[in-house]
Amino acid sequence: MKTLSLLTSDNWHDYALLDSGNGRKLERFGPVTVIRPESEALWQPKLAAKEWEAAHAIYEYQGKGENWRKLKPHPETWMMSYQGLRFKAQLTPFRHVGVFPEHGAQWDWVAEQIKRADEQPRVLNLFAYTGVASLVAAQAGAKVTHLDASKASVDWAKENQTASQLAPDSIRWIIDDALKFVRREARRGAHYEGIIMDPPAFGRGSQGQVWQFAESFPVLLQECRAILAPKPLFCLVTTYDTRASALMLANTLSDSLAGLDGTLDAGEQTLREQSAGRLLSTSIYARWSAK
């Protein structure tokens, strides 16, 4: 790897970054338009104030914390789609709506890796949240294991599987701590051709296990090496930890996959504004694919 890349997810119809600036971003998720904080957006907005004022909801500081303030009537839940898949969206207390649109480019890449497999590959999705990446992998033909420590997130992902009309047995659902599960899979002799993970900066497992990115991530990657198939297809890591860098992800992933013949690339995941065409950096990634 000689350079870092900027990935932009341009295949959306149900999402748009309408504008950004003054520490905020104006986004459309299907029929609902929202304003959310964005620390990267230090520049000035391009759209007129009336365009921002037409949003359905804004996430902002309220009293002792942050929460959504509704500005206009909108559905409590609604459906979105991507490349033939359907999934539920809603405003959550954590400023998210159930989908991270900047991952679209990664979903397309994962589907490409799976479709070039000679046989049905097994794919493990760790920290899988509401499961759009799991849906993408299953739609592309993989046998998917979806893991998250949150039962509510896994239940939401199951709803998305049903909405996308995927076969019930195309995804195996696991509620567990990622590191403990991977170690158990290694003892059982399980193997996966593809691994996807989006580890948080901080988190707790289903039994209170503490996750600290800087300490836990390298350990998890090393453990994942033990469950990679003899001829793996790919490994994808993304994170929103602001203390991490794409170079750090690339170097750590390269260490854990030493000896495997493949291609490694890394960089930033971005969204492109409709208003001015500016790129907004949202997160970082590193990924490896077999030659």
Side-chain angles (χ1 to χ4, degrees), residues 223-238:
E223 297 291 343
C224 283
R225 176 62 186 269
I227 61 170
L228 273 177
K231 294 183 178 180
L233 286 172
F234 69 91
C235 186
L236 167 64
V237 181
T238 57

Side-chain angles (χ1 to χ4, degrees), residues 7 82 85 103-117 121-125 132-142 144 193-197 233-238 269 286-289:
L7 287 188
Y82 186 85
L85 296 168
H103 284 246
Q106 303 292 9
W107 300 335
D108 296 342
W109 181 83
V110 165
E112 290 172 5
Q113 307 313 307
I114 291 169
K115 289 176 181 178
R116 65 189 181 92
R122 295 154 293 186
V123 172
L124 174 61
N125 187 9
V132 182
S134 297
L135 305 183
V136 167
Q139 181 191 55
V144 181
E193 279 73 32
I195 295 179
I196 304 167
M197 67 176 77
L233 286 172
F234 69 91
C235 186
L236 167 64
V237 181
T238 57
Q269 299 184 138
R287 63 192 188 187
W288 174 92
S289 60

